Amino acid sequence: MSRPAARRPSLAILVVPGAVIALCAVLAGLGTIETWVVYVLVPVAAVVAGLGYLRAQRRFVQRRGEDVGRLVAAGRWTAYGGEHPEAPRDALSFPRREPLASDVGHTFGEVLRARVDGRDVWSLELGVQYRSGGTVTETGARESGPATLSDPFHVVLTHLDRGHGLVEVSAARATNALRADVEVGVPDFDRAFRVTTESERTARAWLGDGCGADLARQGADALHGGRLRLDGRTLVWWRKGPQDLDALDDVARLVTRAAAFLPR
């Protein structure tokens, strides 16, 4: 992109109004200002904070649309948009494993597709819905809690011609809930990355020499802070956080390069 993509407004925008409210409370407690002044200033500060955040959010949505428009205009990506029913099924067929699993459902931000090295690559912003702890009624029945939306995930994926098992690659410092660490026999790769899998044979067949050596040459930064997961017929990169438009091209190339080393 010609300039960095728009960033979502953070709650830091509320720091100054929050400080004003806290200062008013302290000064009123010390008797420095009259209580009626607090009753006036606190609502004003709260309103200013809320309006400022809403304005920043509207500005972000506008700039985000412009950023997506530039990607599409450049001819590299095709946009399908939000939760619209025309979003292709391939984009929404992603592995339902933790932390992407949900018994409630998912929400989707922009759905983008690119053709990279002969492969369709999908990028989407994924919200994972889950239910908070329920309550027990007087009759002893359990009622489910309300549906809650997690922080978003950025997911980039491509579909494969056949299934290959389950292997996940992350930076060496990352933790993972899969079964065990595996060394694939490429020293530079084994030092920089952590591999967890349900099949050591699958991991070594994919990462030994070819893909492992390729990732080792690029270094741990090649994963852009995310994880690369081979999950059956899908190869997916995922990272917690909103969809990063600045990283789209690099991550798409990462996924297609890794797919090229899969056993045929």
Side-chain angles (χ1 to χ4, degrees):
M1 296 184 64
S2 58
R3 60 171 175 77
R7 298 299 178 187
R8 281 174 170 74
S10 72
L11 293 179
I13 197 171
L14 305 179
V15 169
V16 173
V20 170
I21 293 173
L23 179 60
C24 287
V26 170
L27 293 178
L30 296 175
T32 306
I33 62 175
E34 297 291 338
T35 305
W36 69 267
V37 176
V38 177
Y39 289 150
V40 172
L41 290 181
V42 168
V44 170
V47 169
V48 169
L51 292 176
Y53 186 80
L54 289 175
R55 181 182 179 186
Q57 185 67 26
R58 285 197 299 269
R59 189 184 306 121
F60 163 75
V61 171
Q62 179 181 357
R63 289 194 61 196
R64 181 76 167 189
E66 294 171 354
D67 292 338
V68 172
R70 273 189 287 273
L71 283 174
V72 173
R76 297 192 302 271
W77 292 87
T78 302
Y80 290 84
E83 298 177 63
H84 295 177
E86 68 267 18
R89 182 175 300 177
D90 282 352
L92 310 181
S93 299
F94 54 91
R96 292 333 200 248
R97 297 181 188 268
E98 293 293 341
L100 308 180
S102 173
D103 294 330
V104 181
H106 300 82
T107 62
F108 302 92
E110 296 95 353
V111 177
L112 303 170
R113 185 193 69 181
R115 188 79 175 171
V116 181
D117 297 334
R119 286 187 172 275
D120 283 334
V121 181
W122 302 93
S123 175
L124 56 144
E125 183 171 307
L126 178 71
V128 180
Q129 295 176 302
Y130 62 94
R131 291 202 182 277
S132 56
T135 58
V136 178
T137 66
E138 294 179 355
T139 62
R142 175 170 289 276
E143 294 182 348
S144 298
T148 305
L149 186 63
S150 74
D151 290 337
F153 292 90
H154 183 185
V155 176
V156 177
L157 61 90
T158 189
H159 294 298
L160 310 170
D161 295 332
R162 66 183 183 89
H164 293 274
L166 178 63
V167 182
E168 183 162 284
V169 181
S170 57
R173 62 183 179 275
T175 59
N176 193 293
L178 294 180
R179 191 175 65 192
D181 291 0
V182 173
E183 292 188 351
V184 301
V186 181
D188 289 342
F189 174 86
D190 289 331
R191 282 191 294 269
F193 298 93
R194 183 183 183 192
V195 178
T196 48
T197 182
E198 293 178 348
S199 170
E200 295 184 13
R201 180 178 179 181
T202 301
R204 292 195 175 99
W206 177 36
L207 297 168
D209 294 331
C211 189
D214 185 59
L215 288 172
R217 282 192 294 270
Q218 299 176 65
D221 290 342
L223 296 183
H224 296 274
R227 299 170 188 246
L228 188 63
R229 180 184 292 174
L230 175 62
D231 197 329
R233 298 176 67 92
T234 305
L235 182 60
V236 58
W237 172 94
W238 62 273
R239 183 179 71 188
K240 192 169 187 177
Q243 185 169 217
D244 185 352
L245 298 183
D246 291 326
L248 282 189
D249 291 332
D250 289 341
V251 175
R253 282 191 293 269
L254 165 69
V255 170
T256 56
R257 284 175 65 89
F261 289 105
L262 285 167
R264 300 188 182 279

